[in-house]
Amino acid sequence: MSMTACGSGGSSSGGGGGGGGSITMGFSQVGAESGWRTANTKSVQDSAKSAGITLKFSDAQQKQENQIKAIRSYIQQKVDVIAFSPVVESGWDTVLKEAKDAKIPVILTDRAVDSKDTSLYKTFLGSDFVEEGKKAGQWLVNEYKDAKDPVNIVELQGTTGSAPANDRKSGFQEVIGADPKFKIIASQTGDFTRAKGKEVMEAFLKSNPDIDVLYAHNDDMGLGAIEAIEGAGKVPGKDIKIITVDAVKDGMQALADGKINFIVECSPLLGPQLMDLAKKVVKGEQVPTRVVTEETTFTQEQAKQVLSSRQY
Ligand code: GZL
């Protein structure tokens, strides 16, 4: 776990402070597992600088125990506000109660927790992952509306136990489940990384000769799977249709090149809204319990049109 203090100058005010001096935020990031995460980290760090917020930043390398350690460290340092993207949904109540007892407000960003006690955090800022799964499913239903034969789908799930993996799976299943021709013949985690996505797709290809579609919970696993598909002598985007989520630059390039068929956008650019929310919660102002980001979807034609203007 790497801990760095970065961001604008200014002294750190004590926990619950944020009076005249600049605000200090302790941020625990999931890791650096994907292009999306890299873009999200940049958005948080750049926005803290622009907002004049002193940022203490830690990378948990996708381990919950590292995030819990970082949050405890921020509590000891008496930061004014804690923000984090929980790598998995469960197991946060104890440390969030410690932050609440220390009177340090917590903001969830990107991923949610399944704590029943919603007083443990001030707000959630991020995407509706169920909606993202539904959008992916709806494209598939439209794409195969005239098909009579079974449509064999393999699924590369995100990190086990994470909100995006759970919700993108359930949203997708909710839409395709209405038609029995859609069959998910294999589903396994690729942990949101290219390497694991390639490895799992290689195994899928070995044990399933008739794959029609890949649904990958993020671009990076889809890009790894493309290497596996090409390695098996098949044509990605044609022999096997591919749907992914995120819309990072490399994914959009593959979409424009015809190797991916459809991408559901999930914006990593949460930094500006996060800093606005942080200033409000430190001042004790009311904030919405949930701030959902605006997102869209891309076809191959749309990717060709927007590729040069993408920010990440
Ligand atoms: C989604 C985010 C996911 C991305 C992946 O908001 O948590 O984690 O979809 C990233 O690319 O690794």
Side-chain angles (χ1 to χ4, degrees):
M1 171 183 66
S2 57
M3 301 279 283
T4 54
C6 65
S8 68
S11 59
S12 302
S13 52
S22 82
I23 293 171
T24 299
M25 170 187 283
F27 188 93
S28 169
Q29 180 59 293
V30 166
E33 74 281 3
S34 62
W36 190 99
R37 188 64 55 199
T38 305
N40 178 246
T41 290
K42 186 174 184 315
S43 176
V44 168
Q45 291 177 336
D46 291 354
S47 302
K49 279 198 189 77
S50 317
I53 288 178
T54 302
L55 184 70
K56 294 178 184 291
F57 182 91
S58 66
D59 170 338
Q61 289 148 354
Q62 289 188 282
K63 292 184 177 63
Q64 180 174 31
E65 65 265 25
N66 287 344
Q67 289 199 291
I68 291 172
K69 272 186 212 142
I71 292 169
R72 285 194 167 124
S73 159
Y74 297 142
I75 293 170
Q76 280 161 5
Q77 296 176 64
K78 298 188 183 321
V79 297
D80 298 300
V81 58
I82 291 170
F84 77 116
S85 170
V87 60
V88 292
E89 287 192 286
S90 306
W92 301 99
D93 285 42
T94 302
V95 73
L96 292 180
K97 182 109 180 36
E98 291 166 19
K100 184 178 178 184
D101 293 345
K103 296 187 174 28
I104 299 176
V106 173
I107 297 174
L108 300 180
T109 163
D110 168 29
R111 298 184 184 178
V113 299
D114 60 9
S115 300
K116 296 286 172 285
D117 180 357
T118 54
S119 74
L120 294 175
Y121 53 89
K122 293 295 178 189
T123 185
F124 165 80
L125 163 63
S127 307
D128 181 338
F129 302 130
V130 174
E131 197 51 40
E132 291 173 349
K134 287 181 177 177
K135 289 175 185 175
Q138 196 52 59
W139 181 85
L140 197 61
V141 167
N142 298 341
E143 185 70 11
Y144 283 90
K145 61 182 179 306
D146 302 326
K148 297 285 176 285
D149 296 337
V151 180
N152 294 328
I153 303 159
V154 292
E155 180 180 29
L156 284 171
Q157 296 181 38
T159 301
T160 302
S162 68
N166 292 337
D167 294 351
R168 285 171 184 168
K169 180 172 182 53
S170 62
F172 183 74
Q173 180 57 48
E174 187 181 323
V175 170
I176 68 162
D179 187 335
K181 75 183 171 200
F182 294 113
K183 300 184 182 316
I184 297 182
I185 58 174
S187 181
Q188 194 178 324
T189 184
D191 210 15
F192 283 131
T193 68
R194 284 193 197 201
K196 197 80 177 128
K198 179 181 179 185
E199 183 191 315
V200 175
M201 190 67 198
E202 284 168 345
F204 284 165
L205 287 159
K206 284 198 180 76
S207 45
N208 301 282
D210 300 328
I211 298 170
D212 298 306
V213 176
L214 163 65
Y215 170 47
H217 292 183
N218 81 332
D219 292 351
D220 283 69
M221 292 189 293
L223 292 163
I226 284 170
E227 291 178 43
I229 292 166
E230 290 172 332
K234 292 176 183 261
V235 181
K238 290 187 172 41
D239 297 335
I240 296 177
K241 291 201 177 352
I242 300 178
I243 308 163
T244 65
V245 186
D246 276 352
V248 296
K249 182 75 95 177
D250 290 349
M252 293 292 275
Q253 184 63 63
L255 181 61
D257 295 345
K259 295 187 176 183
I260 291 177
N261 298 85
F262 187 68
I263 297 186
V264 178
E265 184 184 40
C266 175
S267 174
L269 305 181
L270 303 175
Q273 288 171 287
L274 173 59
M275 298 310 153
D276 288 347
L277 286 166
K279 287 182 177 176
K280 289 189 169 78
V281 300
V282 167
K283 278 190 236 158
E285 290 177 14
Q286 280 302 312
V287 292
T289 52
R290 188 177 166 87
V291 179
V292 180
T293 44
E294 294 297 316
E295 290 153 355
T296 184
T297 59
F298 295 99
T299 62
Q300 291 172 347
E301 277 320 301
Q302 288 165 334
K304 287 175 190 157
Q305 286 154 20
V306 304
L307 194 57
S308 56
S309 62
R310 295 291 290 170
Q311 289 182 63
Y312 59 91

